[in-house]
Amino acid sequence: MVIDERKKYRKIMRVGMLMVAALIALATSEAWANTAPYVATPDGDGVQRIRLVGGSYFFEPEHIQVKAGVPVELVASRERGLVPHNLVIQSEVLGLDIEEELEREEKVIRFTPQVPGRVVFYCGKKLWFLPSHRNRGMSGVLEVVE
Ligand SMILES: [Cu+2]
């Protein structure tokens, strides 16, 4: 009897561990991993201007490539709907500390990355116990090249 209980306990633990592993895999899967980048080309005034739209639960484009040392303007907005979204881009290396609410109206976010590198941008919204928007796929990557 005691042995049966132990077996049952071990089985429950194994299933539990598998579920935790699956959740971790889900949480760390980023959709942009294999996408071709949207390569910004400077406008006439030398600014790399990129229109970025956030929605439930995506960013378009989700992989952006810009040149280091050239000013960037993200013209950011969110799609129609009631769900609030924001844009978070934080990287000490790239000198970026951006956290902006996304509105229906376009908002211009300006910065000039000085060094090459990569940073994941994402929506920082989360409702109650539901998975965060980031974990639901609302993330992308900003790649800064020489
Ligand atoms: Cu969001």
Side-chain angles (χ1 to χ4, degrees):
M1 195 60 192
V2 174
I3 291 170
D4 268 6
E5 286 299 308
R6 251 189 229 157
K7 268 187 184 164
K8 205 192 259 175
Y9 175 75
R10 277 200 204 126
K11 196 174 179 185
I12 290 169
M13 285 303 286
R14 262 201 304 270
V15 171
M17 304 251 265
L18 276 175
M19 282 170 73
V20 168
L23 276 176
I24 290 169
L26 192 71
T28 53
S29 69
E30 309 267 15
W32 43 262
N34 294 312
T35 58
Y38 171 85
V39 181
T41 48
D43 286 347
D45 57 0
V47 175
Q48 307 178 88
R49 225 166 248 113
I50 300 127
R51 199 160 251 117
L52 180 67
V53 178
S56 302
Y57 294 91
F58 66 89
F59 278 108
E60 177 56 41
E62 62 180 356
H63 186 174
I64 298 166
Q65 186 182 299
V66 297
K67 269 200 157 67
V70 181
V72 174
E73 282 188 16
L74 291 179
V75 183
S77 63
R78 68 171 174 83
E79 66 165 10
R80 201 182 301 273
L82 295 173
V83 183
H85 296 295
N86 70 4
L87 174 66
V88 181
I89 313 178
Q90 283 164 344
S91 165
E92 237 173 86
V93 177
L94 297 178
L96 299 176
D97 187 11
I98 294 163
E99 186 168 349
E100 289 280 350
E101 291 301 311
L102 295 180
E103 310 292 347
R104 287 288 293 145
E105 202 168 303
E106 290 180 330
K107 180 183 274 187
V108 179
I109 301 164
R110 294 182 177 85
F111 58 92
T112 306
Q114 298 297 342
V115 291
R118 258 173 169 253
V119 58
V120 171
F121 61 84
Y122 60 92
C123 174
K125 300 286 182 184
K126 178 172 171 30
L127 184 66
W128 289 89
F129 51 87
L130 295 174
S132 65
H133 291 195
R134 182 180 185 174
N135 283 354
R136 294 172 87 164
M138 206 170 168
S139 69
V141 67
L142 174 71
E143 200 179 344
V144 183
V145 298
E146 300 247 26

